[in-house]
Amino acid sequence: MTTSSPTVTTGAFPASRKIHVSGSRHKDIRVPMREIELHPSAGEQPLTVYDTSGPYSDPAVETDIARGLTPLRRNWILARGDVEPYEGRSVQPADNGFVSADRLTPAFPDLRRPLRAKAGRAVTQLAYARAGIVTPEMEFVAIRETQRRAAASQETRDGEDFGASIPGDITPEFVRDEIARGRAIIPANVNHPESEPMIIGRNFLVKVNANMGTSAVTSSMAEEVDKMVWAIRWGADTVMDLSTGRNIHNTREWIVRNSPVPIGTVPIYQALEKVGGVAEELTWEVYRDTLIEQAEQGVDYFTIHAGLRLHMVPLTVDRVTGIVSRGGSIIAKWCLHHHRESFLYERFEEICDICRAYDVSFSLGDGLRPGSIADANDAAQFAELETLGELTKIAWAKDCQVMIEGPGHVAMHKIKENMDKQIECCDEAPFYTLGPLTTDIAPGYDHITSGIGAAMIGWFGCAMLCYVTPKEHLGLPDRDDVKTGVITYKIAAHAADLAKGLPGAQARDDALSRARFEFRWEDQFNLSLDPDTARDFHDQTLPKDAHKVA
Amino acid sequence: MTTSSPTVTTGAFPASRKIHVSGSRHKDIRVPMREIELHPSAGEQPLTVYDTSGPYSDPAVETDIARGLTPLRRNWILARGDVEPYEGRSVQPADNGFVSADRLTPAFPDLRRPLRAKAGRAVTQLAYARAGIVTPEMEFVAIRETQRRAAASQETRDGEDFGASIPGDITPEFVRDEIARGRAIIPANVNHPESEPMIIGRNFLVKVNANMGTSAVTSSMAEEVDKMVWAIRWGADTVMDLSTGRNIHNTREWIVRNSPVPIGTVPIYQALEKVGGVAEELTWEVYRDTLIEQAEQGVDYFTIHAGLRLHMVPLTVDRVTGIVSRGGSIIAKWCLHHHRESFLYERFEEICDICRAYDVSFSLGDGLRPGSIADANDAAQFAELETLGELTKIAWAKDCQVMIEGPGHVAMHKIKENMDKQIECCDEAPFYTLGPLTTDIAPGYDHITSGIGAAMIGWFGCAMLCYVTPKEHLGLPDRDDVKTGVITYKIAAHAADLAKGLPGAQARDDALSRARFEFRWEDQFNLSLDPDTARDFHDQTLPKDAHKVA
């Protein structure tokens, strides 16, 4: 069912078919979902589940990574009349890490001219929302979050939402309002029309990000693209491309063109490569050029560590693990060397102007996040968070969409303080955390140490959880590690959805529990997050057929 | 380093040595701990960690499963002068499931005559504690919980303990007081003198139980014993033998004689086998005989589902998953068939008299625990919990040690209610929960869905966490599954210890974090819960040697 190179992983999930739900305001909207069929003895309708996997799991669609996905948002973007195509910057040797010609990965065959806002226009979902416009993207996510469940009036609400504003029905107007308030974002670069819109905010389903890194030298673009395809197959809502080194410009193009989920990056990584890896030599000009390069390619959100200010660096000297964020280390080194505020902080308004012209969302980075239980919730971490709150307001003033990154390593009793402080400092801008890991003593199992913290902070209000794989701290994740990380985080996100009392969240638990109680084994497998593993584990010890029918 | 049959798994952990800390009140106490040596460049003392693994990880001790472990508590028990050896019941064909002679597993070679309280004497740790006696067992656990950390006055306390009474220093007198109040137990059958005393209570380190089942037909007693040895190697504090079927009497003897940790059972499982698997045919006489059989062998705690009363059964009819506890199903079936209260409930005082004569602790079973998110915290579950509270008081009046079993499947927002209600109903008798699983949608990953809930309820005050393996709901766990389950639950228990603010709990996190920050890879591996996996994951992707030295 799942094959890897030379093509990417495709195929339907067992007993599942892709369906598309149409919009009512915007008739050309087709929101993908997955319907899981149950055994006739169940006497139940098929269960509809949220589907991040894109056309790759739809046998009716033939994908070709050299063509890229259908640019489903292209017409919506152009119809707004506020963008224009332009020549764009030309690819430079530095963009691909000065790789020699014989080792250069091929350029994506069909490069579109990039789009950019017309002079003076803000083309962000936030700007539209504030103007009272319900975009097709907004209606899309309203339908997507609803997952075809019946009107909320039928439902028993059950949960503790800690002051969230979770509605009974998710209407396009509610989505617009949440975005207008800055409480949710739809990462949707105008140059990534292939993306299926998704929303990140505390009043919606908790989302999961998976990180990936491309190989510096690779024989097959399919292998690189498949890293993304594999992660979204198991449920990643966004993918961050954290590549460094060579060929990253060209490889990124292949990934974005083939990605149905938003792609995030940390642009300082590529900028650093362009200056030979020497942090002190970074300049605003190189960084700015990198932002534009990536914005033109269609990157949907940028991690920007603009909250790390010079005076905060000394706050880390007594830490057990200093500064563990890669971006944070780079900026801290630069600030100390030049003894001045970083260009990220000083030029923040100019960065906003760039993001506003493409609708690149901010993921304001936590460069001073704790790297150990010992360092959690310390003065350095919270000083930066306060600055991130200030920057949030600046970005909002510029009509830019913003989310805030959070830790990291935090014992359970200190997790809620992170969430509460983030809400307070950042006025409910979506929080996006890495774990947090709740203990440091289990390298090899940090998907679990962090899955505990992720479930809890998701419950408390965190909008997106950045996955951690079993290889965290030890090495590079392979395909199995990525799957394990994604599934663990889908568990955390779903446990959070249940605890928050998101309407309809329990439908899948209930369907699976009924199947379990009635010994409908096939239904149990098919309804689970990972049908392959469930079936395999069952078959390892129990008779093949006898236990599988109702 | 780790080998399986034909002998059991032995060998030291990397860079580790077994040490023994002596008692001051009781001079013959030798409390085992593990010392992990660090790289000289660290400039740190070795780290001492809690050690459940018994003599099997001590190269200085040669174990022989046909001889059993040294009965280190034997003299303490005899010195109290309140027990006497007696003939004991003779083994009957039913005890081993009427297995034919050619398939009978060998009896343990050297059977001691069982001990029992002299007439009228209570030989429980609770009775001693109430009488103001600090037993060697109590001093042993005080030393064991302290783990050689310095006096608490030096420590920064940090945590949220939800009204627990965690002391700065764990003195023998504190242990005595906690046991006297019923807030902690030391499961320690007088017929299991091989056990290294351990304590279960909310003011101590959170403990982990691993379940095992023996094979009905086996070629090697070493294989059966090794299931227990393997679980304690990775950190199980107690082991429950949930075997059914044939040969369980003889196999259990091998396990108890070789176990340094308390062994728990669910006696109704064996009683059911004795009546041919027909629940309705169970009688008090068969059950009582089974209790004595197992008490004589040295089982340290019994799960007894005495709280499930006839009138509660109808409360389960509208559940999604009915009654999922195996013991609960058996009792409910019996109650409905005979239309009367179970003999467990009606004869509870007589059961107490048996437990009191051997110091078998109660683990009052939650036969009506929820089997799905949908059924959590319902009327049936809480009705039973209230009865468990009544039974707790009866057991205490009989000088019996008691803990209370809890769920099961509970979404995060309903977990704390379980803990709070248990404390209220059962007057702080230790809580011992299975998970709870925080979602039902991930069969194959239920160690993780439940590890989240286990960490949280441990933080809230649960004293022992019953592990769940990846095979839960799907099949029988193999060796890898058992290890994964135990490590996951050690993570949950430790995360809870940190969040509760147990003094000294963070020492291992801090040592590992320092090693990480200084790139002392070997120290990182050696300090981790699973050094083998940490090292293996590292070696899979990073150069073998270059990254391993400071």
Side-chain angles (χ1 to χ4, degrees), chain B residues 203-348:
Chain B
N203 295 315
F204 300 94
L205 292 161
V206 176
K207 302 304 188 295
V208 169
N209 172 70
N211 295 329
M212 64 173 283
T214 57
S215 306
V217 179
T218 184
S219 52
S220 154
M221 282 302 99
E223 278 177 35
E224 300 304 320
V225 172
D226 198 43
K227 291 176 182 172
M228 174 273 296
V229 170
W230 182 247
I232 65 175
R233 181 173 183 84
W234 299 109
D237 294 283
T238 75
V239 168
M240 289 196 79
D241 176 4
L242 303 184
S243 304
T244 58
R246 295 171 184 164
N247 281 319
I248 62 178
H249 178 96
N250 283 7
T251 312
R252 187 192 301 123
E253 187 76 32
W254 284 85
I255 291 165
V256 176
R257 296 287 71 79
N258 286 287
S259 176
V261 304
I263 298 294
T265 61
V266 188
I268 199 90
Y269 292 178
Q270 188 180 11
L272 185 66
E273 299 292 333
K274 292 181 182 179
V275 296
V278 183
E280 295 83 346
E281 296 188 4
L282 281 164
T283 63
W284 162 241
E285 289 67 29
V286 168
Y287 187 73
R288 181 181 175 282
D289 181 60
T290 305
L291 294 180
I292 291 171
E293 172 190 351
Q294 298 194 7
E296 289 179 349
Q297 289 188 299
V299 170
D300 298 286
Y301 62 91
F302 288 156
T303 292
I304 296 187
H305 300 89
L308 198 171
R309 296 192 56 188
L310 179 60
H311 71 269
M312 298 170 189
V313 180
L315 296 176
T316 65
V317 294
D318 290 332
R319 281 181 157 188
V320 170
T321 47
I323 300 177
V324 296
S325 153
R326 180 157 190 262
S329 307
I330 295 166
I331 300 305
K333 193 181 266 189
W334 192 96
C335 290
L336 289 177
H337 179 81
H338 296 282
H339 203 72
R340 59 181 290 188
E341 300 294 351
S342 79
F343 47 83
L344 303 180
Y345 181 76
E346 291 192 335
R347 304 282 190 156
F348 190 69

Side-chain angles (χ1 to χ4, degrees), chain B residues 58-72:
Chain B
D58 186 352
V61 176
E62 198 170 332
T63 55
D64 174 358
I65 65 161
R67 251 180 24 231
L69 299 179
T70 304
L72 58 97

Side-chain angles (χ1 to χ4, degrees), chain B residues 19-20 29 58 61 82 114 135 177 191 258 311 323 330 379 527 550:
Chain B
I19 59 166
H20 293 89
I29 287 177
D58 186 352
V61 176
D82 52 5
T135 62
D177 192 57
N191 291 313
N258 286 287
H311 71 269
I323 300 177
I330 295 166
L527 288 164

Side-chain angles (χ1 to χ4, degrees), chain A residues 283-302:
Chain A
T283 63
W284 163 242
E285 288 68 29
V286 168
Y287 186 74
R288 180 182 175 282
D289 180 60
T290 306
L291 294 181
I292 291 172
E293 172 190 352
Q294 298 194 7
E296 289 179 349
Q297 289 188 297
V299 170
D300 298 286
Y301 63 91
F302 288 156

